Amino acid sequence: MKNSWKSISVFSVILLLAGGCTFAPHTFQHKVVGTIEEIEIEKNFFDDDEFLVIEEQNRQPDNSLYTIPVSDSDEYEVGQKVKVDIYSNTDADVWDLDHMKFEIEVMDE
């Protein structure tokens, strides 16, 4: 019985440490100014996932398209110019939507 409590305690600490990373505050990482090239909607059983595909205005060849999740794609149109502030709560240099949030602003032409 004593060993099982010890195992449960160790497992609980591991879960707390692993889960603690997701509660880190989001910090500003990058700003993208570009044009909405496509609106993607992935059909799911309960709810659809909606994304904007944005082509960066002054793009580098390898990093020209960004796929950004949105809660309501009806607010946007293909061809609109947008500014996107990208925030992350991890130091890893990866595009991981579970650790990112976005602020999207439609710009006047």
Side-chain angles (χ1 to χ4, degrees):
M1 183 73 164
K2 188 175 182 180
N3 283 338
S4 62
W5 280 110
K6 196 183 253 187
S7 297
I8 290 172
S9 297
V10 169
F11 183 69
S12 298
V13 168
I14 290 171
L15 283 178
L16 285 172
L17 291 174
C21 295
T22 61
F23 297 114
H26 287 85
T27 58
F28 178 80
Q29 298 295 314
H30 186 65
K31 180 183 296 190
V32 173
V33 175
T35 305
I36 299 173
E37 295 297 315
E38 184 179 353
I39 297 173
E40 295 179 352
I41 299 175
E42 295 178 3
K43 299 288 184 183
N44 294 319
F45 188 69
F46 291 109
D47 203 10
D48 296 338
D49 291 329
E50 302 178 41
F51 302 91
L52 302 179
V53 178
I54 298 170
E55 184 172 21
E56 190 171 12
Q57 187 173 22
N58 298 320
R59 61 180 184 229
Q60 279 77 36
D62 295 337
N63 300 330
S64 63
L65 294 177
Y66 294 86
T67 301
I68 310 291
V70 293
S71 58
D72 185 8
S73 63
D74 292 337
E75 298 178 20
Y76 305 97
E77 296 177 15
V78 171
Q80 280 182 317
K81 188 173 179 180
V82 293
K83 178 184 79 157
V84 181
D85 290 335
I86 302 171
Y87 297 84
S88 177
N89 68 351
T90 179
D91 291 331
D93 188 21
V94 294
W95 191 262
D96 183 354
L97 296 178
D98 292 332
H99 294 279
M100 301 174 87
K101 70 177 187 175
F102 307 90
E103 291 180 6
I104 303 170
E105 177 186 337
V106 175
M107 300 176 68
D108 296 327
E109 295 291 329

